[in-house]
Amino acid sequence: MEYYLVKWKGWPDSTNTWEPLQNLKCPLLLQQFSNDKHNYLSLVNKGKAISLKDNNKALKPAIAEYIVKKAKQRIALQRWQDELNRRKNHKGMIFVENTVDLEGPPSDFYYINEYKPAPGISLVNEATFGCSCTDCFFEKCCPAEAGVLLAYNKNQQIKIPPGTPIYECNSRCQCGPDCPNRIVQKGTQYSLCIFRTSNGCGWGVKTLVKIKRMSFVMEYVGEVITSEEAERRGQLYDNKGITYLFDLDYESDEFTVDAARYGNVSHFVNHSCDPNLQVFNVFIDNLDTRLPRIALFSTRTIYAGEELTFDYQMKGSGDISSDSLDHSPAKKRVRTVCKCGAVTCRGYLN
């Protein structure tokens, strides 16, 4: 007869008991137990023919240890998922998944919904004027006042070319929350999943629903720091083989967004030399051209289950020239090898 060692919820390990199968009324936990055991045996046997009856006397300590670690990881990831959804302020739900290894939640990451200014940096988030339109599609709205075209069509898809700024209606505008020129400020509308990749790229993000082309997906947020501080941190990040620095170079190069410790779902989006997300600079309440908000829009239809990626070197300009790359300060630092696997892969992230 099979017996299972049971850890009772809310009770210490000293009260653990051995129970026969008929005493267990937890089909989901039993299925997870069986799956974890099978996954471990598959890993150690590396695809060889195996029998789950090989350990008919008792589970080997290594298998038992793996199953316990996997169970603890599952609990930790569920708690992290709950925390992320408590902190986010947008419609789309956040899910977490790791079927690859035993990695748990990141230990030094804090979820935020908007820019976090570093000490000494001021972010003025109050607009000085707003529109009085009754229909922002047909009247002289905020984009026209800024000398640019309205960014969206009536299907809430972006219609301007990359490199063109987006000016949305702000808190001083008289149009309501259903105004067609309020897209980025409403936040992510799609349910997304932070998942562990199987190609060595760590965590990644995939969509759980279909995303139409040219649709807003998410903002890139983090800590706003000076370019000088970004250069110092960049040396450290490159040595670790990571990169979270995003230059706010729409009109100047005074500031950088660092999403290493503070960020949202975009912190986990991987790089690709052939991405499905495009960067745009956005101005809403803060009209300081040195401090645009960074929005990521889909470049094509993205299907449920597909990983989301953007080009780390794009920086909102919509163009990557060999000249700009040749003079990049990153050339003087450690090169980080790119693992995107695209046919057009440039070989390095920086």
Side-chain angles (χ1 to χ4, degrees):
M1 181 181 288
E2 285 187 330
Y3 281 85
Y4 294 80
L5 182 62
V6 176
K7 166 72 171 67
W8 296 98
K9 191 173 182 180
W11 292 82
D13 288 347
S14 59
T15 62
N16 291 357
T17 59
W18 287 94
E19 301 290 339
L21 184 60
Q22 63 263 29
N23 286 6
L24 302 181
K25 310 300 180 186
C26 47
L28 179 59
L29 287 176
L30 286 168
Q31 185 62 51
Q32 289 174 343
F33 177 91
S34 177
N35 291 344
D36 291 343
K37 181 170 71 168
H38 186 274
N39 289 341
Y40 178 83
L41 292 171
S42 297
L43 287 172
V44 297
N45 285 276
K46 297 180 181 178
K48 297 177 183 177
I50 60 173
S51 171
L52 297 183
K53 296 181 180 179
D54 288 345
N55 304 290
N56 56 355
K57 295 295 183 183
L59 284 181
K60 291 181 178 179
I63 302 178
E65 182 182 6
Y66 175 85
I67 290 173
V68 170
K69 285 183 178 178
K70 198 66 182 173
K72 289 182 177 180
Q73 177 205 48
R74 196 175 284 116
I75 293 171
L77 291 179
Q78 180 63 51
R79 288 175 177 167
W80 184 42
Q81 176 179 299
D82 294 342
E83 179 188 354
L84 294 177
N85 283 289
R86 282 195 302 269
R87 292 182 178 276
K88 59 100 173 165
N89 64 359
H90 51 76
K91 177 182 176 182
M93 295 295 292
I94 304 172
F95 296 86
V96 178
E97 173 186 286
N98 186 353
T99 60
V100 174
D101 54 31
L102 292 171
E103 186 73 16
S107 59
D108 193 26
F109 173 74
Y110 306 93
Y111 194 95
I112 57 175
N113 293 292
E114 57 188 20
Y115 284 163
K116 175 184 174 64
I121 295 178
S122 174
L123 299 180
V124 180
N125 284 314
E126 184 176 352
T128 54
F129 64 89
C131 73
S132 56
C133 305
T134 55
D135 190 335
C136 294
F137 259 127
F138 301 106
E139 299 177 50
K140 190 175 182 181
C141 191
C142 300
E145 292 289 347
V148 298
L149 295 173
L150 189 137
Y152 311 113
N153 63 24
K154 291 196 173 183
N155 294 321
Q156 301 185 347
Q157 295 167 299
I158 195 162
K159 63 179 184 181
I160 58 175
T164 309
I166 298 171
Y167 280 83
E168 290 196 357
C169 292
N170 58 58
S171 56
R172 286 187 175 264
C173 294
Q174 296 182 23
C175 55
D178 295 329
C179 168
N181 194 34
R182 297 181 185 271
I183 302 296
V184 172
Q185 61 195 265
K186 290 182 178 179
T188 300
Q189 302 295 297
Y190 307 102
S191 291
L192 305 175
C193 179
I194 300 169
F195 75 105
R196 196 70 176 170
T197 63
S198 57
N199 61 354
C201 290
W203 295 101
V205 179
K206 62 184 176 182
T207 177
L208 299 180
V209 295
K210 179 181 176 181
I211 300 175
K212 294 181 179 179
R213 63 186 297 273
M214 313 309 284
S215 298
F216 170 66
V217 179
M218 70 181 77
E219 268 193 86
Y220 191 92
V221 302
E223 186 182 8
V224 178
I225 59 177
T226 63
S227 295
E228 291 79 11
E229 174 65 10
E231 184 63 25
R232 186 190 71 80
R233 294 187 187 185
Q235 302 277 356
L236 301 175
Y237 296 161
D238 287 343
N239 288 329
K240 295 179 181 179
I242 60 175
T243 176
Y244 294 106
L245 299 174
F246 200 116
D247 296 330
L248 297 180
D249 56 1
Y250 168 66
E251 196 167 86
S252 66
D253 57 357
E254 292 182 50
F255 301 107
T256 295
V257 177
D258 181 5
R261 295 187 68 206
Y262 300 94
N264 61 3
V265 175
S266 64
H267 166 98
F268 302 97
V269 175
N270 282 316
H271 162 87
S272 175
C273 298
D274 183 22
N276 52 24
L277 298 179
Q278 169 71 49
V279 175
F280 282 86
N281 294 289
V282 186
F283 299 96
I284 306 176
D285 279 313
N286 189 347
L287 301 178
D288 187 340
T289 54
R290 300 174 303 164
L291 293 163
R293 290 164 68 164
I294 302 301
L296 300 172
F297 286 77
S298 57
T299 60
R300 57 173 175 79
T301 300
I302 307 175
Y303 296 96
E306 193 173 345
E307 183 175 2
L308 302 174
T309 58
F310 72 94
D311 191 328
Y312 286 1
Q313 295 184 17
M314 199 167 286
K315 308 306 182 194
S317 66
D319 177 52
I320 302 175
S321 66
S322 58
D323 292 339
S324 66
L325 293 182
D326 288 343
H327 294 95
S328 168
K331 286 284 185 180
K332 304 172 186 176
R333 306 200 297 251
V334 177
R335 305 296 303 275
T336 303
V337 176
C338 179
K339 300 177 182 178
C340 76
V343 176
T344 56
C345 181
R346 296 189 296 270
Y348 295 93
L349 296 185
N350 51 8

